[in-house]
Amino acid sequence: MSKIRELLFYKDYFREFYGNQRPKVQKKILWTLKVIEDHDRVPEIYFKHMEGTNGLYEIRVQSGSDIFRIFCFFDINSLVVVGNGFQKKTQKTPSNEIEKALRIKNEYYEEKKKFNKP
């Protein structure tokens, strides 16, 4: 089965988050990422656009009663750029986590602009 989307793990944001998780949670995260890569229509329970943001998405992972979110965004075509993650402990996503994700997104595009100058 060929991939529908390609994941790009930008800098160490995701790796740091992932490395701090229990093995059971890591396994669920990898499973969820595979769903996003391989399925044309990803159920909203795993992948959802963040309301009120300019193109920010959240990868949604649940392991038992623990809930985790990993922010990402699309670049050209089907490239999904994966940024920071956190454990969700409240109903509402903390604004500092969204702000961090938006900073990472801006950083990515600024860097990309520098490398793509003629």
Side-chain angles (χ1 to χ4, degrees), residues 23-46:
K24 185 179 176 187
V25 173
Q26 287 181 341
K27 194 173 177 181
K28 185 70 182 263
I29 290 170
L30 292 178
W31 180 88
T32 307
L33 293 174
K34 189 136 184 54
V35 168
I36 291 165
E37 277 184 326
D38 295 345
H39 292 81
D40 190 28
R41 296 182 63 84
V42 180
E44 209 172 75
I45 188 172
Y46 303 120

Side-chain angles (χ1 to χ4, degrees), residues 8-118:
L8 170 72
F9 298 94
Y10 181 59
K11 295 197 171 172
D12 283 336
Y13 297 111
F14 172 78
R15 278 189 262 325
E16 284 174 13
F17 160 76
Y18 180 80
N20 290 327
Q21 305 311 318
R22 299 183 318 278
K24 185 179 176 187
V25 173
Q26 287 181 341
K27 194 173 177 181
K28 185 70 182 263
I29 290 170
L30 292 178
W31 180 88
T32 307
L33 293 174
K34 189 136 184 54
V35 168
I36 291 165
E37 277 184 326
D38 295 345
H39 292 81
D40 190 28
R41 296 182 63 84
V42 180
E44 209 172 75
I45 188 172
Y46 303 120
F47 192 62
K48 185 174 191 236
H49 180 259
M50 295 286 298
E51 299 283 323
T53 67
N54 186 8
L56 203 58
Y57 287 77
E58 61 180 4
I59 297 167
R60 309 168 85 165
V61 179
Q62 186 162 351
S63 178
S65 60
D66 294 330
I67 297 170
F68 302 88
R69 296 292 185 257
I70 303 159
F71 290 110
C72 61
F73 51 91
F74 282 89
D75 194 353
I76 45 174
N77 303 326
S78 57
L79 180 66
V80 178
V81 181
V82 180
N84 59 315
F86 70 101
Q87 183 169 359
K88 192 169 179 190
K89 297 182 188 232
T90 58
Q91 197 64 29
K92 197 168 177 341
T93 300
S95 57
N96 65 320
E97 293 291 349
I98 295 172
E99 287 162 16
K100 182 178 180 182
L102 291 170
R103 274 197 312 274
I104 291 168
K105 182 180 176 209
N106 290 337
E107 184 185 336
Y108 171 83
Y109 281 112
E110 285 301 311
E111 225 171 77
K112 188 176 171 181
K113 257 197 295 197
K114 281 184 209 161
F115 287 111
N116 290 339
K117 282 191 175 163

